[in-house]
DNA sequence: TTAACAAACTAACGCTTGTTAGGTTTTGTA
DNA sequence: TACAAAACCTAACAAGCGTTAGTTTGTTAA
């Protein structure tokens, strides 16, 4: 989110994430998005060049944030298991904070144009690579016992990303409790055979 | 799949699952589906009353199969941990066998009309309930230590369903290897604190 | 006050899509 | 073989959608 983001543009992006989550990108119309954002359909084009650009901006911002913020969270941690705990905690908290954006980013890959698709796929790969690296380090340190770290990373990410599918802001479940359960489950899972 | 399923209807359903997976339901057109199925657009209406019905039939068949076949796999197993292993193995194998159908069933919930949505949600809930029950039994038997079996069941299912997102039939990965990794990861994860 | 610019409205365009209706061809059965 | 049903083709309809172009409105600086 750059500092010079106009209020309306910001509103449109937030409403877009909500609408896309609710109906899917293709089933969402600009007329409805405009209505929800407080303008008329054609006005969207003052802020965005196309419907596709709205989707891309949501997804690109989300992936970029995930990558940079994950780094900030784990860069000073040496122990792989501790690093993994922190990474999982971060991932879940991010997905629980921006549920609409993260859900859309995870589910609307197919709606991207080819050019945008490549860019987002690249960032997904970078993000996933950070988890693979942690798992590889855990294997090296003998505190984890994973046969295929790529599959394990995918499994872990899919499971944790899944929180954005069901979590509701008004849920009685506390984020820390959810996080704790996922972290424990995963850490026992990766450590299992090395105990 | 009933015995009297006409060949063309069967082809259309298979092609629909493939097309919907590739482009999403809303971005898929009946003209393209017809083309892929070897007929013209209007001919689809000889076999299905609407585009929505095609989607519903794919999803309903998949959910119904999952429910009944899971039961058949685990009904004679008493030990909760063994039962869980079998359930996970079944789930992954099903998702790896019908990757298109399972992927569509998991991702196109939002494309369902309200009436169809309720029916599919109900079946999803039934299926999920079977996993929750296994976990509850594991807790009772003290071979699992899960604070919230509902969350754990969701996490497990999301992770295992995720296989249909990335698995490719021509993959060098053997299904048994994949299954083994998931089963081990999960069983260590659920058993962790009870060890 | 005036001019410039940003933001928004509005009508309409061109295209696409699910679907229908009527006609033709193919298949199955007596 | 004849007939009916199933399957398919085809043209077209009605609705909707992303987008464009022109106009209007509000704001700001000179």
């Amino acid at each position: 989110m750059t500092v010079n983001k106009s209020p309306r543009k910001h509103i449109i992006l937030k409403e877009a994430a909500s609408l896309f989550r609710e109906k899917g990108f293709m089933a969402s119309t600009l007329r409805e998005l405009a209505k929800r954002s407080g303008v008329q359909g054609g006005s969207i084009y003052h802020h965005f060049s196309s419907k596709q650009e709205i989707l891309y901006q949501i997804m690109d911002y989300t992936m970029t944030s995930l990558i940079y913020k994950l780094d900030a969270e784990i860069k000073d941690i040496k122990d792989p298991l501790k690093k993994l705990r922190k990474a999982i905690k971060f991932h879940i908290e991010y997905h629980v904070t921006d549920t609409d954006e993260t859900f859309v980013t995870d589910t609307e890959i197919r709606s991207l144009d080819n050019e945008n698709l490549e860019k987002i796929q690249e960032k997904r790969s970078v993000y996933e690579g950070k988890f693979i690296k942690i798992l590889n380090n855990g294997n090296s340190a003998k505190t984890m016992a994973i046969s295929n770290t790529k599959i394990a990373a995918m499994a872990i990410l899919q499971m944790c990303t899944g929180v954005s599918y069901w979590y509701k802001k008004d849920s009685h479940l506390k984020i820390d409790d959810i996080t704790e359960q996922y972290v424990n489950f995963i850490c026992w899972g990766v450590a299992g055979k090395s105990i």
Side-chain angles (χ1 to χ4, degrees), chain A:
Chain A
M1 235 30 114
T2 60
V3 211
N4 65 352
K5 172 73 45 86
S6 71
R8 185 73 71 188
K9 184 167 182 174
H10 180 72
I11 290 170
I12 292 171
L13 283 170
K14 289 302 295 185
E15 294 297 330
S18 176
L19 177 62
F20 295 167
R21 177 201 184 111
E22 185 184 323
K23 300 193 173 179
F25 178 73
M26 292 304 296
S28 302
T29 68
L30 287 184
R31 286 170 176 79
E32 180 159 10
L33 174 58
K35 185 176 176 185
R36 291 184 181 201
S37 306
V39 294
Q40 299 295 315
S43 305
I44 301 274
Y45 289 90
H46 181 75
H47 304 274
F48 301 94
S49 61
S50 65
K51 187 183 181 187
Q52 173 71 204
E53 195 202 331
I54 301 174
L55 179 65
Y56 175 71
Q57 283 200 19
I58 292 171
M59 295 171 78
D60 186 58
Y61 173 76
T62 298
M63 285 315 308
T64 303
S65 292
L66 281 169
I67 292 171
Y68 283 100
K69 290 180 180 173
L70 175 64
D71 276 347
E73 290 285 330
I74 66 174
K75 70 177 179 348
D76 295 331
I77 306 179
K78 291 297 183 305
D79 177 57
L81 254 182
K82 283 190 165 73
K83 199 166 203 154
L84 181 63
R85 297 187 76 99
K86 193 74 178 189
I88 293 164
K89 187 168 188 291
F90 161 75
H91 184 83
I92 292 178
E93 282 173 355
Y94 193 100
H95 280 71
V96 147
T97 305
D98 283 5
T99 49
D100 293 341
E101 287 83 357
T102 52
F103 181 86
V104 168
T105 298
D106 197 53
T107 58
E108 295 291 344
I109 300 284
R110 288 171 300 171
S111 301
L112 290 169
D113 290 348
N114 286 345
E115 184 184 336
N116 292 337
L117 176 61
E118 286 181 14
K119 292 182 200 163
I120 298 298
Q121 295 276 40
E122 173 62 33
K123 292 193 176 181
R124 281 170 68 97
S125 185
V126 167
Y127 189 69
E128 178 184 299
K130 294 176 187 301
F131 281 80
I132 295 177
K133 188 175 168 188
I134 297 174
L135 299 183
N136 282 333
N137 291 345
N139 270 353
S140 298
K142 300 288 195 294
T143 51
M144 299 182 203
I146 303 162
S147 12
N148 186 321
T149 52
K150 186 169 167 59
I151 290 184
M154 278 192 290
I156 291 168
L157 284 174
Q158 277 167 327
M159 176 167 54
C160 299
T161 298
V163 176
S164 72
Y165 287 50
W166 57 264
Y167 181 77
K168 289 184 173 53
K169 290 265 164 67
D170 59 357
S171 173
H172 66 279
L173 296 168
K174 293 209 276 193
I175 297 179
D176 281 352
D177 289 345
I178 298 172
T179 307
E180 186 77 13
Q181 288 182 61
Y182 275 71
V183 165
N184 287 340
F185 182 93
I186 290 166
C187 289
W188 278 104
V190 295
K193 283 187 288 189
S194 66
I195 295 183

